[in-house]
Amino acid sequence: MTVTELVWNQIKISEREVSLAKVLRCGQAFRWKNIDGIWSCALANRVVFLRQVPEGIFYSSLGGTEDSTLAFLEDYLQLSVSAKALYEQWSQVDAHFLKKQQDLQGIRILRQDPWECLVSFICSSNNNVKRISQMCDNLCIHYGDYVASYNGTKYFTFPPPAKLVAPSIEAELRALGFGYRAKYIEKTALLVHLSSTGVADLHALRAADYDTARAALLQFTGVGPKVADCVALMALDKHGVVPVDTHVYQIAKRDYKFKGKGETVTPQINKAVGDFFRDLWGEYAGWAHSVLFTAELKDLGNGVNVKAGEAVKSTKVKKEETFEALTATIRADTRLIAEC
DNA sequence: ACTCCCAGGGGTAAG
DNA sequence: CTTACCCCTGGGAGT
């Protein structure tokens, strides 16, 4: 293993605008690792490293230039949108939001790659964040391209459709623990691969209206209303879409006196709840939904924050330990900055 | 404490 | 409009 010095640059931004600990762990993206308080993920053909201090976010990368990493982050984190301003807006129209938002600052929607987002959320059905993360990791390790290593961790790209079209894919994915989703991924990869422009078709849906994008997404096996809405919101710029699952439905009934009978989210319920929140929160309703949804998560760490040398798998990290490791690193960072 | 058992989980496709 | 689906985990019952 080689020791690599990372060169860090800073984006000056408050935790009220971006909270990496929340954004990267609230069930939008599933591949970010947190090792000794440093966030890392192979994205855009490089390994991106991030760490947050009160003054801002330090970023670094292995592969790719500094300028392009900054450009990538501005796009990925959607820094042109002010979460703080949106929070203020939602707080004015929604008393419940106002009450809840205090501990939930800095949550925003990531602008993810449509293909990765699609596959990730196919994996999310009837599943939990921890296992979804494992599945996404497995996809990269077994089918992605090697990018670089850092501190003993190897980083791989998220595999494009072409890497997932072998006839044996379903069996392989099943062996890797994907369960019935193995077939969904195989079929979806094949469909995208065979389309004239491949993933470009998915990217083009960013410019399409919501109904068009949704209809296109529903064509894929393993994609129903909920998954389609997640992809529309988190990869296709459909900021007003509120993905409605059982959990969101419960929130609507419990906290907003939304009247709906039954526990299951039928297509009608899906639409009614979505319309209800869009009506309340406006153009960026999907972003607001993410804030309140995060409030319901029991453990934001989801057991996937690790210390160097520890395997992600089979490791249970106590919340307190993780927190102390994180704050210790942040303090050390702050000292370093002060000395500079 | 440890094991066994069993529901249920941020949905979807198929009957 | 029900039901099965892969796998993992948490809680409860029992050792």
Side-chain angles (χ1 to χ4, degrees), chain A residues 243-256:
Chain A
V244 180
D245 50 37
T246 56
H247 218 148
V248 170
Y249 181 35
Q250 298 310 318
I251 294 173
K253 287 195 291 189
R254 186 193 68 197
D255 299 333
Y256 291 89

Side-chain angles (χ1 to χ4, degrees), chain A residues 101-331:
Chain A
Q101 49 103 254
Q102 208 57 246
D103 310 314
L104 298 167
Q105 313 266 311
I107 295 171
R108 54 178 53 244
I109 296 293
L110 264 15
R111 190 176 197 232
Q112 300 189 67
D113 173 75
W115 167 249
E116 172 171 353
C117 193
L118 176 61
V119 175
S120 302
F121 279 93
I122 286 175
C123 293
S124 78
S125 78
N126 218 328
N127 210 345
N128 55 66
V129 175
K130 190 175 177 183
R131 181 148 82 116
I132 301 166
S133 301
Q134 278 179 26
M135 290 158 85
C136 291
D137 272 347
N138 270 145
L139 237 28
C140 298
I141 291 167
H142 292 273
Y143 303 98
D145 288 327
Y146 173 76
V147 180
S149 287
Y150 181 72
N151 262 3
T153 305
K154 290 182 174 180
Y155 293 88
F156 300 87
T157 59
F158 193 87
K163 293 283 180 91
L164 301 171
V165 290
S168 54
I169 284 293
E170 186 192 343
E172 290 171 26
L173 292 180
R174 273 187 177 273
L176 287 172
F178 281 70
Y180 59 84
R181 302 162 197 86
K183 183 182 287 183
Y184 297 165
I185 292 173
E186 181 199 59
K187 288 191 164 189
T188 298
L190 198 58
L191 202 54
V192 174
H193 183 64
L194 292 177
S195 89
S196 52
T197 57
V199 292
D201 282 359
L202 289 177
H203 279 268
L205 295 174
R206 283 180 169 172
D209 59 43
Y210 167 61
D211 291 330
T212 307
R214 177 187 155 97
L217 291 168
L218 289 173
Q219 299 287 99
F220 297 108
T221 312
V223 178
K226 197 295 191 154
V227 171
D229 281 350
C230 282
V231 178
L233 171 66
M234 301 176 193
L236 301 178
D237 302 335
K238 308 299 179 270
H239 306 298
V241 175
V242 178
V244 180
D245 50 37
T246 56
H247 218 148
V248 170
Y249 181 35
Q250 298 310 318
I251 294 173
K253 287 195 291 189
R254 186 193 68 197
D255 299 333
Y256 291 89
K257 292 173 181 159
F258 179 88
K259 34 191 199 313
K261 51 184 177 186
E263 297 294 296
T264 45
V265 178
T266 63
Q268 292 93 323
I269 301 256
N270 180 292
K271 186 177 184 336
V273 173
D275 287 345
F276 172 81
F277 281 126
R278 201 162 20 258
D279 208 44
L280 177 63
W281 293 324
E283 194 187 352
Y284 278 72
W287 292 48
H289 131 278
S290 181
V291 175
L292 287 189
F293 189 88
T294 304
E296 302 300 314
L297 290 179
K298 286 193 180 74
D299 176 14
L300 261 183
N302 283 302
V304 286
N305 294 335
V306 298
K307 292 192 255 186
E310 281 182 331
V312 174
K313 227 184 193 174
S314 78
T315 307
K316 279 194 179 176
V317 181
K318 286 185 198 158
K319 242 197 245 174
E320 297 79 11
E321 279 180 356
T322 312
F323 182 74
E324 277 178 19
L326 232 153
T327 47
T329 312
I330 288 174
R331 285 204 197 93

Side-chain angles (χ1 to χ4, degrees), chain A residues 52-68:
Chain A
Q52 184 149 27
V53 295
E55 295 75 23
I57 292 171
F58 282 86
Y59 66 94
S60 182
S61 72
L62 250 30
T65 63
E66 178 200 323
D67 284 354
S68 63

